[in-house]
Amino acid sequence: MIGKIKDLSRKDKKAFVIGEPIDHSLSPALHGFWLRQLGIDGSYEGFSVPADYLARTIYKLRDDGYAGGNVTIPHKEKVMLLCDEVSERAQKIGAVNTLVFDGDKILGDNTDAEGFAAGLGGFKPKKAMVLGAGGAARAVIVALQELGAEVYVSNRTAEKAEKLAQEFSCKTIAWENKDELSESDFLVNTTSLGMESQPELDIDIKSLPDGSVVYDLVYNPIETDLLKQAHSLGLKNISGLWMLIHQAAPGFEKWFGEKPETTQDIYDHLILELNKRGWKQA
Ligand code: ATR
C-alpha cells in the first residue's frame, strides 16, 4: 500500500511548548486561558523532550500539522540549528523561544526582548542596571538598548559580564558594588537569585532615586524580596509574570490568528494557577 503523502500546507490550530522538565511551565495555562477567552477551538500542549529527541520531535510536530510552538530550557539555543530561518532578533539574543511552521519550513524567533519591553508599560529607562549575564540577560539588554538606555551589567562571575559587555557595548559593575545605584533609574534581576529554593538576592536598593523602576524576572515566589523592597520604598515594581505574558502573545497570534489580551485578567488567572500549584505568595 502506498503511504499517504503528508500535506504540510495544512496547519491546525494546535501549538506546543517543549522543554525538559515541562511540568512547571505556565505556558499551557496561559495559552489555554486565551483560547477559551477568544472562543478558539484549538490546543496548546506541553511536551517534555530530552535533548536527543529534540530534532525528531520538532519534525514530527511539524508533520502532524501543528502551527508552531514555544521552546524553553534547555533547548532554546540548540533548536536554532533545526530552523530554516532564524530572525535577526533571535540571532542577536542567541536563542529561539518561538517556532512557526510555514509549510515544511521551520521559522525561529525570539519574543523575550519584546516581552520584557512590553512589561515596562511605557517606562523608558535611561540608565539601567542588569543583574546577571545568562540567557535572560541577553534578551533584556537587547530590549533596553533598543529603548535607548545606557546599560550596566553586574554578574557574580565577572568574566561573563565582561564578555556580554564586549558583545553588546555596555559597561560592567563589580558584583560587590551592585547596590551603588544612585545614578540608575532602573534595576532588573535576571539571575535565579530569590527564586524558590535558591539563595536570596542580597542587595540593598535604597540608593535608587525616586521614580526608579524595579523589575524582577523571578516570579516564584510571586512577590520576591526585591519587589517587596521596591514596594516599601514607593518604587514601581514589575513582576516577571508580565514578561511571561507579553512574550507569549506574539506566538499566540501567529498560530491562532487572533491577538490575545495582555491585561490584568490573564495576570490574575496565572496567580490563581500558581496558588493551585501551591506556589508561595512571597
Ligand atoms: P538564564 O538563561 O535564566 O539567564 P543562566 O544562563 O543559567 O540562566 O544564568 C543564570 C544567572 O544567574 C547567571 O548570571 C548566574 O551567575 P554566574 O554567571 O556567576 O553563574 C546567576 N546566578 C545563579 N546562581 C547565582 C548565585 N548563587 N549567586 C549569584 N549569581 C547567581
Side-chain angles (χ1 to χ4, degrees), residues 141-154:
I141 294 170
V142 166
L144 287 168
Q145 290 187 329
E146 282 177 9
L147 289 169
E150 189 184 354
V151 175
Y152 287 75
V153 182
S154 187

Side-chain angles (χ1 to χ4, degrees), residues 49-120:
V49 179
D52 284 353
Y53 288 80
L54 182 65
R56 71 184 86 168
T57 305
I58 290 195
Y59 298 142
K60 174 95 170 71
L61 291 165
R62 176 197 60 187
D63 297 352
D64 282 352
Y66 279 79
N70 287 123
V71 182
T72 188
I73 292 166
H75 305 314
K76 285 169 125 181
E77 287 87 17
K78 190 179 169 196
V79 77
M80 293 175 81
L81 299 169
L82 306 174
C83 294
D84 295 290
E85 283 171 34
V86 174
S87 72
E88 216 175 292
R89 246 316 159 63
Q91 287 180 34
K92 210 167 161 189
I93 296 170
V96 156
N97 75 338
T98 304
L99 295 174
V100 172
F101 299 143
D102 180 11
D104 67 345
K105 276 213 164 86
I106 303 172
L107 312 180
D109 193 8
N110 192 310
T111 62
D112 283 336
E114 64 191 285
F116 168 79
L120 287 168

Side-chain angles (χ1 to χ4, degrees), residues 92-192:
K92 210 167 161 189
I93 296 170
V96 156
N97 75 338
T98 304
L99 295 174
V100 172
F101 299 143
D102 180 11
D104 67 345
K105 276 213 164 86
I106 303 172
L107 312 180
D109 193 8
N110 192 310
T111 62
D112 283 336
E114 64 191 285
F116 168 79
L120 287 168
F123 178 74
K124 280 197 168 41
K126 290 190 187 63
K127 194 165 167 181
M129 174 74 102
V130 176
L131 304 180
R138 298 176 67 88
V140 164
I141 294 170
V142 166
L144 287 168
Q145 290 187 329
E146 282 177 9
L147 289 169
E150 189 184 354
V151 175
Y152 287 75
V153 182
S154 187
N155 192 53
R156 172 182 63 174
T157 309
E159 302 82 66
K160 275 167 76 180
E162 292 297 343
K163 209 161 162 253
L164 265 194
Q166 264 185 9
E167 188 178 343
F168 290 100
S169 303
C170 45
K171 298 185 178 117
T172 57
I173 300 269
W175 186 243
E176 305 75 62
N177 300 334
K178 63 184 176 301
D179 40 18
E180 290 173 17
L181 296 161
S182 59
E183 303 284 313
S184 308
D185 62 349
F186 180 72
L187 171 73
V188 54
N189 175 37
T190 76
T191 75
S192 48

Side-chain angles (χ1 to χ4, degrees), residues 258-270:
E258 284 187 59
K259 210 182 175 79
E261 278 190 11
T262 51
T263 55
Q264 192 67 36
D265 273 353
I266 181 68
Y267 184 91
D268 292 344
H269 176 73
L270 291 181

